Amino acid sequence: MEEKKLDLNSIIGFVLIFGILIWIMYQNKPSEATIAADKAKKEQLAKASATKAKVLEAKILATPTAVVAGDSTQLVKLQKTLGGFAYSASLPSAKNDFTTIENEVVKLKIANKGGYIVEATLKNFEKFKKGSGQLVELIKDNNTNLNVQLHTSDNRTLNTKDLYFEPTLTKVGEDQILSMKLKAGANEFLEYKYILKPNDYMIGFDLRSQGLNKVLNTAKPLDMEWSMKTYRNEKSIAYENRYTEVYFEHEEGKIDYVGQGQDKKEDSEKATYVAFKQHFFTSILLTNKPFGSAKLQSNNLVNDEAIDTTFTKQFKANIPLAFDNGELDYKMSWYFGPTDYKILKSYDKNLEKVISLGWGIFGWINKFIFIPLFGFLSSYISYGIAIIIFTILIKIAMSPITFKSFLSQAKMKVLRPEITELGEKFKKDPMKKQQETMKLYNKAGVNPMAGCIPALIQIPFMYASFQFFPSAFELRQKSFLWADDLSSFDEVIKLPFHVPLYGDHISLFPVLASIAIFFYMKMTSGDQQMAAPQQDGMPDMAKMMKMMIYISPIMMLFFFNSYGAGLSLYNFISNLITIGIMIVIKRYFIDSDKIHAQIQENKLKEPKKQGKFQQKLQQVMEQAEAEKAKSKKK
């Protein structure tokens, strides 16, 4: 069979046909003028359609009864445009109007457009300082937004913040109930229900739908977004911002937070509340039915304290709302109120956990000692005096530990000459020197760790105070002596310049606390040096202690200058009391001669059985000595 081949004539034919097709396409290409005319025509039609839709919507808003009763064709067209929620646009409430509900402590203003709270004012608290006349407003001037994205069955997306709700305010007993309905028909709606009880910061918030399963796509959850730019309410924006962050409860009682800084994000599974916590005021959304996977975000808005003086943080929470049998049904609550431990704990919903009291033992000290004790004292006396009495009681309770520490230092001071002698005797054998020193301690009945353990026991109380005083809402705007607000810095001199790490003011309580710690360290440094013999190869302890005498007060001066005056007052009184206790113990309870005689008497007795720590240390040193001897033989 003859094989078919592509000859030259065929190739020429294909080229000619291809060229003719290109020429035809070129000849039929529309001119630039034609393209411009078509584009202008399309834009004109689009503008005409938009204008017609706006006129139609305005007509419906202006004459709702006529439209609903007679112009059903136009209403159907508008319903298609608005995804079935045109019914709300035909109601008298479809205008920028507001409904106000209030009780003794909070005042709320709810907008028809969007159906959410556009103003939340706390009636018993003032901004910045007492007597300013400016009430704390957690929500105002569009700093917050609540929006639910509605996905319609015809693949449209509507935002509730752009749609109008119909308000109905009723009263049941002393409770005010405000129903905000976004209607898609007479019996088809999305409802926000606000329930305000007397003298309560907690507002009931029910979110439910009725008859929307034909209008909305219920196959997936709706997206609810709650966002807020938190207003500055305190004198020091930096101090306030340090304690402003997002907290949330999830997975059956676990508390977590998003963190400080820029673009901080966290995902929360089964969240039961989300708190936009400020230093002394908090906005919380709670739910009885846990949310799905909520996405939380925080951004710091204070980059320059001299310029960024209005807002502290930008918070955002994206929360999924799941359908149940084609409808939404969430029993929720809003809390707009003070970050007060007692008030938050009274709701029995774990809300007090948004206040950072420290983890582990630090939190226990605050919850079971500091908060009850200070609460009891401050209920009878002024807050400044309460801090002083509180400090005295804490230091008296710790005085036995302080006594043991000083007694241990005194014993070590008496043994110093003998320890120094051992150091000279076994100068070339450090291991032997350590062994003999341990034997001396054991014979004399002295525990070298006895001075360290009391100091370690006091550290948790010191750290707990650093968490307690900045979180004590009771101190807000309470004055004492020259400090007009114990929760903020006690400025006595305003500097005409800014000192890095220090600020543009001088606070007096930190200055007094620094002076007190200077004298305390000056008085104790000599005993500590005498109690701590020089070790070969170790830094000169005398020089280090001498440096710390000056470094510690300076560090305190810089660190506390912008902190709350209550904490500085506590540290000042604490150091004064410690100095006083130390003087009393040294003068009336510690006699170096008696201690020396007791030590000498102990040496004549049978050595005390070593503790487990000493035994272990002795074994380690003996093993090291044996290894050293073995290596020398080799």
Side-chain angles (χ1 to χ4, degrees):
M1 189 174 190
E2 186 179 356
E3 187 182 80
K4 292 184 179 180
K5 295 182 179 179
L6 190 67
D7 58 11
L8 181 61
N9 293 331
S10 298
I11 294 172
I12 294 172
F14 280 124
V15 171
L16 290 173
I17 292 170
F18 182 75
I20 292 169
L21 289 172
I22 294 295
W23 181 80
I24 292 172
M25 289 174 65
Y26 179 77
Q27 289 296 319
N28 288 297
K29 179 182 178 183
S31 64
E32 295 292 335
T34 304
I35 293 172
D38 287 343
K39 185 177 179 181
K41 188 174 181 181
K42 288 178 180 178
E43 290 176 353
Q44 187 175 5
L45 288 172
K47 287 180 181 179
S49 299
T51 303
K52 186 177 180 181
K54 287 182 180 179
V55 170
L56 179 58
E57 184 177 356
K59 182 181 177 182
I60 290 174
L61 294 177
T63 57
T65 306
V67 173
V68 173
D71 202 349
S72 59
T73 303
Q74 290 183 336
L75 180 58
V76 169
K77 288 181 180 179
L78 188 58
Q79 282 178 329
K80 290 180 178 180
T81 304
L82 298 180
F85 286 89
Y87 190 86
S88 288
S90 69
L91 298 171
S93 62
K95 56 185 178 181
N96 289 325
D97 207 350
F98 308 91
T99 304
T100 299
I101 56 176
E102 60 182 305
N103 58 19
E104 296 83 354
V105 296
V106 65
K107 180 179 179 181
L108 305 173
K109 188 175 179 182
I110 296 95
N112 288 4
K113 187 176 182 181
Y116 59 88
I117 299 169
V118 292
E119 288 185 13
T121 305
L122 303 183
K123 300 167 74 172
N124 298 327
F125 303 103
E126 294 178 291
K127 297 177 68 172
F128 307 129
K129 63 180 182 178
K130 195 172 183 179
S132 67
Q134 302 179 59
L135 293 178
V136 170
E137 296 172 290
L138 298 181
I139 301 176
K140 69 169 185 175
D141 298 338
N142 299 315
N143 74 310
T144 192
N145 180 50
L146 181 72
N147 180 57
V148 179
Q149 282 195 339
L150 305 174
H151 307 292
T152 65
S153 53
D154 59 348
N155 296 322
R156 296 175 185 272
T157 299
L158 303 175
N159 295 300
T160 58
K161 66 179 182 179
D162 301 323
L163 303 175
Y164 290 92
F165 288 67
E166 181 183 22
T168 303
L169 180 60
T170 57
K171 203 167 183 181
V172 178
E174 294 186 346
D175 296 350
Q176 301 171 65
I177 301 175
L178 176 62
S179 170
M180 304 292 293
K181 290 183 178 179
L182 173 63
K183 295 188 173 182
N187 296 306
E188 300 169 348
F189 54 83
L190 175 70
E191 181 185 31
Y192 297 165
K193 183 186 288 184
Y194 299 91
I195 305 165
L196 183 61
K197 296 181 178 182
N199 202 34
D200 198 349
Y201 294 103
M202 189 74 73
I203 301 100
F205 179 61
D206 296 348
L207 190 156
R208 72 182 187 96
S209 67
Q210 179 176 303
L212 296 184
N213 50 350
K214 295 180 181 179
V215 179
L216 299 179
N217 178 6
T218 60
K220 61 179 182 177
L222 298 182
D223 297 319
M224 181 173 75
E225 181 183 291
W226 175 37
S227 62
M228 175 181 283
K229 289 171 70 176
T230 54
Y231 278 105
R232 169 194 178 187
N233 291 305
E234 310 305 324
K235 183 165 64 174
S236 172
I237 190 169
Y239 194 52
E240 180 180 6
N241 205 24
R242 187 179 297 136
Y243 299 97
T244 300
E245 53 191 327
V246 178
Y247 278 81
F248 57 96
E249 183 188 56
H250 63 120
E251 296 179 0
E252 300 180 356
K254 294 181 181 178
I255 306 296
D256 208 341
Y257 57 94
V258 174
Q260 302 275 356
Q262 294 294 337
D263 200 29
K264 297 294 182 179
K265 297 179 181 179
E266 285 287 341
D267 291 344
S268 170
E269 296 291 338
K270 298 182 179 179
T272 45
Y273 72 67
V274 176
F276 291 169
K277 175 190 172 288
Q278 297 170 248
H279 189 183
F280 287 126
F281 300 98
T282 299
S283 305
I284 308 176
L285 175 62
L286 306 92
T287 177
N288 289 347
K289 180 169 66 176
F291 299 126
S293 180
K295 299 183 181 300
L296 310 174
Q297 185 176 354
S298 173
N299 274 294
N300 182 29
L301 300 179
V302 182
N303 297 312
D304 187 340
E305 295 176 27
I307 300 173
D308 305 322
T309 58
T310 304
F311 299 102
T312 54
K313 294 275 179 25
Q314 170 73 64
F315 296 143
K316 186 181 291 185
N318 289 97
I319 300 169
L321 299 177
F323 286 94
D324 186 5
N325 294 323
E327 299 291 355
L328 295 172
D329 188 12
Y330 279 86
K331 300 289 184 183
M332 297 187 283
S333 301
W334 293 105
Y335 175 86
F336 297 107
T339 313
D340 186 314
Y341 184 87
K342 293 178 183 177
I343 293 175
L344 293 174
K345 189 173 178 59
S346 68
Y347 289 106
D348 196 24
K349 294 182 180 293
N350 226 18
L351 301 183
E352 71 278 6
K353 293 292 184 65
V354 305
I355 301 174
S356 178
L357 296 176
W359 54 272
I361 189 173
F362 312 117
W364 301 338
I365 291 172
N366 277 320
K367 283 190 283 187
F368 301 119
I369 299 177
F370 283 9
I371 290 176
L373 178 59
F374 187 76
F376 173 78
L377 293 172
S378 60
S379 62
Y380 292 99
I381 53 181
S382 68
Y383 287 93
I385 301 298
I387 291 175
I388 295 173
I389 302 299
F390 171 84
T391 311
I392 292 172
L393 293 176
I394 295 295
K395 297 305 291 185
I396 289 175
M398 300 293 290
S399 59
I401 298 173
T402 306
F403 174 76
K404 285 188 177 182
S405 179
F406 287 145
L407 182 61
S408 176
Q409 288 181 15
K411 288 180 178 180
M412 296 291 289
K413 182 179 178 182
V414 171
L415 285 178
R416 172 67 181 263
E418 294 182 55
I419 294 172
T420 303
E421 186 180 336
L422 289 174
E424 291 295 327
K425 184 177 180 180
F426 300 102
K427 191 172 185 180
K428 297 182 179 180
D429 193 345
M431 187 64 67
K432 186 67 174 176
K433 184 185 75 172
Q434 289 290 345
Q435 290 177 337
E436 293 299 321
T437 302
M438 293 300 295
K439 288 179 182 178
L440 175 62
Y441 288 150
N442 192 34
K443 284 182 180 181
V446 175
N447 185 356
M449 299 298 294
C452 301
I453 294 173
L456 292 175
I457 292 174
Q458 295 184 66
I459 288 176
F461 286 84
M462 181 185 69
Y463 182 79
S465 70
F466 279 82
Q467 298 291 321
F468 170 72
F469 285 100
S471 302
F473 181 84
E474 304 96 313
L475 298 180
R476 185 178 186 268
Q477 296 182 354
K478 299 299 189 298
S479 61
F480 180 66
L481 299 178
W482 56 84
D484 58 1
D485 186 351
L486 286 168
S487 70
S488 189
F489 56 83
D490 56 312
E491 176 186 309
V492 290
I493 298 176
K494 180 72 174 178
L495 299 176
F497 49 83
H498 182 87
V499 179
L501 302 177
Y502 185 73
D504 58 358
H505 64 274
I506 296 176
S507 299
L508 185 53
F509 278 130
V511 173
L512 295 176
S514 299
I515 293 172
I517 198 173
F518 170 79
F519 282 105
Y520 166 72
M521 295 193 71
K522 191 81 171 174
M523 293 172 68
T524 58
S525 61
D527 289 342
Q528 290 173 354
Q529 290 175 44
M530 291 295 291
Q534 295 297 315
Q535 301 291 329
D536 295 334
M538 295 290 287
D540 189 344
M541 292 297 294
K543 290 182 180 179
M544 289 180 63
M545 290 302 301
K546 190 174 181 179
M547 289 175 60
M548 290 303 297
I549 291 172
Y550 300 98
I551 292 175
S552 295
I554 292 173
M555 288 176 61
M556 177 167 279
L557 191 66
F558 274 76
F559 185 74
F560 284 97
N561 190 58
S562 294
Y563 262 66
L567 180 59
S568 299
L569 173 61
Y570 171 81
N571 279 280
F572 170 53
I573 300 299
S574 179
N575 286 322
L576 281 184
I577 295 171
T578 303
I579 291 172
I581 290 174
M582 182 184 66
I583 292 172
V584 171
I585 290 174
K586 280 188 171 184
R587 182 168 294 181
Y588 298 104
F589 294 96
I590 294 179
D591 188 328
S592 297
D593 294 334
K594 287 183 178 180
I595 291 173
H596 184 268
Q598 183 65 49
I599 288 174
Q600 299 307 317
E601 185 180 336
N602 290 342
K603 288 180 182 180
L604 300 175
K605 297 177 182 178
E606 286 291 328
K608 290 183 179 181
K609 186 178 179 181
Q610 290 182 329
K612 290 184 179 180
F613 175 77
Q614 289 177 313
Q615 289 177 2
K616 189 66 177 177
L617 185 61
Q618 185 72 23
Q619 290 175 6
V620 170
M621 287 192 290
E622 287 175 356
Q623 290 174 3
E625 187 69 21
E627 291 292 331
K628 184 178 179 182
K630 192 183 293 184
S631 62
K632 283 184 177 180
K633 289 180 181 180
K634 292 181 179 180

